[in-house]
């Protein structure tokens, strides 16, 4: 039996190449990581962009919300992880994470952990409470 989806809302906007998206679990927000190196925060109820972060001049491959810290975490082709407060857009931290492009970030739902995957053929587990 085929899956049928009833689409209630659609967010449609012209942008550069989108490399990843993430939903905020409590707010009507979508985070988009762009090939241009920017991260855009959209309100899907109003269909408007509410914030933009210039993360890097190189492609941004992934970005995720860490809601309990009010952070956006982003991985880029410059091999760095950057962390921003999504309310103030202040950069909280930036560090070298891999020896090649970062392709994916996964955030643990309960523990202070996130996982990064890279074209350097490694996955790394990070604990933000231990630095």
């Amino acid at each position: 039996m085929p899956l049928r989806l009833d689409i209630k809302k659609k967010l449609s906007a012209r942008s550069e190449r989108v490399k990843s998206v993430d939903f905020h679990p409590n707010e009507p927000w979508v985070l988009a990581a762009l090939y241009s190196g920017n991260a855009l925060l959209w309100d899907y109820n109003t269909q408007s962009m509410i914030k933009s972060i210039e993360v890097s001049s190189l492609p941004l491959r992934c970005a995720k919300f860490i809601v309990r810290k009010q952070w956006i975490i982003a991985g880029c082709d410059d091999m760095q992880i950057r962390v921003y407060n999504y309310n103030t857009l202040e950069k909280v931290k930036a560090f070298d994470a891999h020896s090649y492009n970062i392709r994916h970030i996964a955030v643990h739902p309960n523990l202070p952990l996130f996982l990064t995957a890279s074209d350097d053929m490694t996955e790394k587990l990070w604990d933000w409470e231990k630095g």
Side-chain angles (χ1 to χ4, degrees):
M1 190 162 158
L3 176 65
R4 296 191 64 148
L5 298 175
D6 183 21
I7 298 174
K8 301 283 185 198
K9 279 199 180 227
K10 181 172 91 170
L11 172 65
S12 178
R14 293 290 288 158
S15 73
E16 298 137 54
R17 290 184 280 177
V18 178
K19 293 300 179 178
S20 78
V21 293
D22 193 29
F23 277 105
H24 191 286
N26 306 320
E27 299 291 338
W29 297 347
V30 174
L31 175 64
L34 304 183
Y35 188 81
S36 66
N38 295 328
L40 304 181
L41 191 58
W42 290 88
D43 183 316
Y44 57 78
N45 283 336
T46 63
Q47 296 200 14
S48 61
M49 184 176 61
I50 54 176
K51 296 187 183 193
S52 175
I53 305 170
E54 292 181 27
V55 177
S56 175
S57 61
L58 294 174
L60 183 60
R61 301 290 179 168
C62 51
K64 298 284 185 180
F65 286 110
I66 300 179
V67 176
R68 59 193 175 272
K69 299 294 281 182
Q70 298 181 340
W71 287 347
I72 290 171
I73 184 168
C76 191
D77 277 5
D78 65 2
M79 303 158 285
Q80 284 200 339
I81 292 291
R82 291 178 182 82
V83 181
Y84 294 87
N85 179 298
Y86 61 65
N87 292 314
T88 65
L89 302 184
E90 172 189 0
K91 187 187 296 181
V92 175
K93 187 147 181 93
F95 59 93
D96 293 327
H98 285 273
S99 61
Y100 208 66
N101 303 344
I102 299 167
R103 293 291 182 166
H104 191 72
I105 298 171
V107 179
H108 193 283
N110 302 315
L111 298 176
L113 304 174
F114 66 93
L115 185 69
T116 58
S118 168
D119 284 346
D120 65 8
M121 300 190 311
T122 64
E123 298 88 27
K124 294 184 179 182
L125 184 64
W126 307 89
D127 183 332
W128 64 75
E129 287 184 351
K130 293 184 179 177

